Amino acid sequence: MTSRKSAIVLGGSSDIGRATARAFAKAGYDVVLAGRDIAALEPDAADLRARYNVEVGLRKFDVLDTASFEGFVGGLPALPDAVISIVGLLGVQQNAESDLAHATTIMRSNYEGPSLILGLFAEKFLARGHGALVGVSSVAGDRGRASNYVYGSAKAGFSAFLSGLRARASRGGVHVVTVKPGFVRTKMTEGMKLIGPLTVEAPVVGDAILQAVEKKTDVVYVSGKWRLVMLVIKTLPEAMFKKLKF
């Protein structure tokens, strides 16, 4: 890495991961793209180098392989200025209701793995005295809904972890951001019925993440409309909430 700021994007091959890497590279950050398939990341790395004249590294990272986390962090040539976790798995709620393996994968992909890796980086950043950690959570974690409570519960846990980590890390000069994108038009949401006014494109999320790091924002609802929507949903009486079909 050079003297420029640097960022690691965990889940770099996702649509939001690519958009985030581009936002940071455009802002002059050197970038490390991390994911399970390094070969799939190579075209993106080449594009970022050519387009923005920054250094781009590639690292293998599997959010389910928690035993590899210490080696992943220890194997980096230098600690980055920012780590952005975009990894996650929506899964299929109906399958998760009876398939324990599927439910476990959803929970581990959205809560256990992202929390543990950011927690590990937090210790390194606190020892150094600065850094930014970003976790992409979800509005689905604001209140459990019948249609996606396995995924939503994992994101709720992740949001709670980030909240506690933020309170602790802020005393040591480390900034922790929770990002709640809402509906995003990506491969993961392909085929879903998205609500136009509440849906954003992946580059909007990438730009919001960069801005949150630069401005040290704590919690970001990428579309401000979601903050109001979830405020209403969270205040509905339980008797009324149980009758809603969503």
Side-chain angles (χ1 to χ4, degrees), residues 38-89:
I38 289 182
L41 295 169
E42 288 176 349
D44 298 296
D47 178 71
L48 293 175
R49 294 187 194 106
R51 192 183 298 268
Y52 302 112
N53 193 30
V54 295
E55 291 188 11
V56 183
L58 299 175
R59 291 277 165 170
K60 184 174 179 59
F61 177 76
D62 184 348
V63 74
L64 296 177
D65 185 12
T66 56
S68 70
F69 287 3
E70 289 187 346
F72 176 83
V73 176
L76 296 172
L79 277 178
D81 294 285
V83 177
I84 304 105
S85 175
I86 301 173
V87 291
L89 174 68

Side-chain angles (χ1 to χ4, degrees), residues 3-27:
S3 59
R4 290 188 293 263
K5 289 183 178 180
S6 60
I8 292 181
V9 180
L10 305 173
S13 61
S14 67
D15 290 335
I16 295 177
R18 288 187 170 97
T20 301
R22 179 167 290 193
F24 276 80
K26 187 177 181 180

Side-chain angles (χ1 to χ4, degrees), residues 11-147:
S13 61
S14 67
D15 290 335
I16 295 177
R18 288 187 170 97
T20 301
R22 179 167 290 193
F24 276 80
K26 187 177 181 180
Y29 282 72
D30 289 328
V31 176
V32 172
L33 298 174
R36 288 178 297 181
D37 186 353
I38 289 182
L41 295 169
E42 288 176 349
D44 298 296
D47 178 71
L48 293 175
R49 294 187 194 106
R51 192 183 298 268
Y52 302 112
N53 193 30
V54 295
E55 291 188 11
V56 183
L58 299 175
R59 291 277 165 170
K60 184 174 179 59
F61 177 76
D62 184 348
V63 74
L64 296 177
D65 185 12
T66 56
S68 70
F69 287 3
E70 289 187 346
F72 176 83
V73 176
L76 296 172
L79 277 178
D81 294 285
V83 177
I84 304 105
S85 175
I86 301 173
V87 291
L89 174 68
L90 182 60
V92 180
Q93 170 66 33
Q94 290 81 357
N95 294 350
E97 290 164 9
S98 56
D99 184 340
L100 293 183
H102 187 55
T104 298
T105 300
I106 293 171
M107 291 177 175
R108 294 190 63 212
S109 298
N110 292 294
Y111 171 60
E112 181 191 71
S115 296
L116 291 177
I117 190 64
L118 289 185
L120 190 57
F121 271 111
E123 296 311 299
K124 302 292 185 182
F125 282 11
L126 286 167
R128 183 180 63 182
H130 67 87
L133 299 165
V134 181
V136 175
S137 187
S138 173
V139 297
D142 286 5
R143 189 168 188 179
R145 297 185 290 120
S147 61

